[in-house]
Amino acid sequence: MKKALITGINGMDGSYLADLLLEKGYKVYGLERRTSSKNRVNTSHLEGRITFVKGDLADQNSLARVLRESDPDEVYSLGAQSFVGESWNTPEQTGDVTGIGVLRLLEAIREYGKKIKFYQASTSEMFGKMENFANEDTKFHPRSPYGVAKLYGHWITINYKESYDMFNVSGILFNHESERRGHEFVSRKITDGIARIHLGLQDKIYLGNLDTKRDWGYAPDYVEAMWLMLQQDKPDDFVIATGEVRSLGEFLDSSFQHIGITDWSKYVGQDPRFMRPADVFYLAGDSSKAQSELGWKPQTSFDTMVERMVKNDIEILSK
């Protein structure tokens, strides 16, 4: 039985990845920080099926202890301060956890001494300022403290692979959403707001920049790509994306149509508080390499993803 350690287990990707690995017969360990109250909204269904272990990406000794406890064959580095907007409010903490946290984990693995396959959750936010579809060779230009921190994690993963002959890969994932997305992210903010409008609980959704364009995929499809990267004979990095670009307005179109509203203009407003100091207006990815070498391709359409999110939020609020 293979053993896997997932940092960020309680996040959207971590919980879906745990679901996938359990289906494949893994023994799964999930890293979570010690807090006064557990945050297992996404992982309550996993209690008793996986082993939760206590550790912190800001504390290397705790990571070393977790490796001894779990003795994993694969480590999936998903833990981070992952909300782009928050990274301007807490840039130092974002850099420490999202960037240096990867270094601490790699150092703990290196000192542990066992050959462990390592996956780093890189992000399209590292590309930042771009105009065309990005692939593995596209120049990086991050536009947020989060993007810069992730770029450090990306490059230190490559550096340790080249310096210590470690099996390290990075998945450069473009935007992906699901019913388990946190409410602070714009996609879930929209679908939750629409559910509230539908149920008469609020009148309007307030957003920041409505002109942004993104390549949106479905999270359960994307965690399969993570697993596939660690099953290859040689470590390599891959862009994971749908190759389809949609504006935030199109996300609103698709979301509102599921409650029978075609003109959403009176239900959506802009609020300067949600504007970012340096915004990323366009992110789109070319996953040709992943499709040819991993045999991966997205399975879930954009409209299906949005429909599932809206229906899920209506169901949650109806209860």
Side-chain angles (χ1 to χ4, degrees), residues 122-140:
S122 293
T123 170
S124 58
E125 290 287 336
M126 300 187 312
F127 293 120
K129 195 175 182 179
M130 59 180 294
E131 296 178 354
N132 298 307
F133 285 84
N135 60 27
E136 293 79 6
D137 298 319
T138 301
K139 180 181 177 181
F140 297 120

Side-chain angles (χ1 to χ4, degrees), residues 263-278:
D263 180 9
W264 46 260
S265 56
K266 67 178 181 180
Y267 298 103
V268 177
Q270 285 185 286
D271 190 325
R273 294 177 300 168
F274 303 131
M275 301 294 184
R276 295 170 179 174

Side-chain angles (χ1 to χ4, degrees), residues 150-170:
K150 275 292 189 180
L151 188 54
Y152 177 89
H154 178 79
W155 278 113
I156 201 65
T157 299
I158 293 172
N159 182 258
Y160 268 57
K161 175 179 68 175
E162 296 175 348
S163 301
Y164 301 114
D165 191 31
M166 297 172 72
F167 194 108
N168 295 347
V169 306
S170 289

Side-chain angles (χ1 to χ4, degrees), residues 62-286:
S62 72
L63 300 176
R65 287 194 299 271
V66 165
L67 288 174
R68 290 195 298 270
E69 182 178 348
S70 58
D71 187 37
D73 301 292
E74 300 172 358
V75 170
Y76 294 85
S77 172
L78 310 186
Q81 191 300 100
S82 58
F83 183 43
V84 177
E86 175 60 22
S87 71
W88 274 283
N89 296 325
T90 56
E92 183 178 345
Q93 189 260 358
T94 299
D96 185 42
V97 174
T98 305
I100 303 299
V102 181
L103 171 62
R104 294 188 185 104
L105 187 53
L106 286 167
E107 265 294 285
I109 292 171
R110 184 180 71 84
E111 292 182 353
Y112 187 59
K114 177 182 176 179
K115 282 288 186 180
I116 295 173
K117 291 186 174 182
F118 179 83
Y119 172 86
Q120 166 58 14
S122 293
T123 170
S124 58
E125 290 287 336
M126 300 187 312
F127 293 120
K129 195 175 182 179
M130 59 180 294
E131 296 178 354
N132 298 307
F133 285 84
N135 60 27
E136 293 79 6
D137 298 319
T138 301
K139 180 181 177 181
F140 297 120
H141 188 149
R143 298 265 290 169
S144 67
Y146 168 76
V148 173
K150 275 292 189 180
L151 188 54
Y152 177 89
H154 178 79
W155 278 113
I156 201 65
T157 299
I158 293 172
N159 182 258
Y160 268 57
K161 175 179 68 175
E162 296 175 348
S163 301
Y164 301 114
D165 191 31
M166 297 172 72
F167 194 108
N168 295 347
V169 306
S170 289
I172 307 174
L173 273 57
F174 279 71
N175 292 68
H176 49 289
E177 315 296 340
S178 78
E179 302 92 313
R180 298 182 191 174
R181 174 58 88 186
H183 285 81
E184 69 272 24
F185 291 83
V186 68
S187 57
R188 187 70 188 280
K189 187 176 182 180
I190 289 171
T191 61
D192 176 72
I194 286 172
R196 290 176 182 276
I197 290 170
H198 178 66
L199 296 171
L201 300 175
Q202 73 182 51
D203 299 321
K204 206 163 187 176
I205 305 170
Y206 289 94
L207 304 171
N209 188 350
L210 300 180
D211 298 323
T212 57
K213 294 183 178 180
R214 293 290 186 269
D215 183 328
W216 273 296
Y218 192 49
D221 296 343
Y222 281 40
V223 298
E224 183 186 17
M226 300 176 186
W227 176 77
L228 285 169
M229 289 179 211
L230 291 192
Q231 311 316 307
Q232 305 307 300
D233 294 330
K234 296 180 180 179
D236 204 354
D237 302 334
F238 294 89
V239 163
I240 303 299
T242 69
E244 299 177 0
V245 186
R246 288 179 171 82
S247 67
L248 194 60
E250 288 176 281
F251 197 106
L252 288 162
D253 286 339
S254 182
S255 300
F256 270 102
Q257 77 174 9
H258 295 299
I259 62 168
I261 294 175
T262 55
D263 180 9
W264 46 260
S265 56
K266 67 178 181 180
Y267 298 103
V268 177
Q270 285 185 286
D271 190 325
R273 294 177 300 168
F274 303 131
M275 301 294 184
R276 295 170 179 174
D279 215 337
V280 176
F281 297 99
Y282 178 95
L283 287 176
D286 174 7

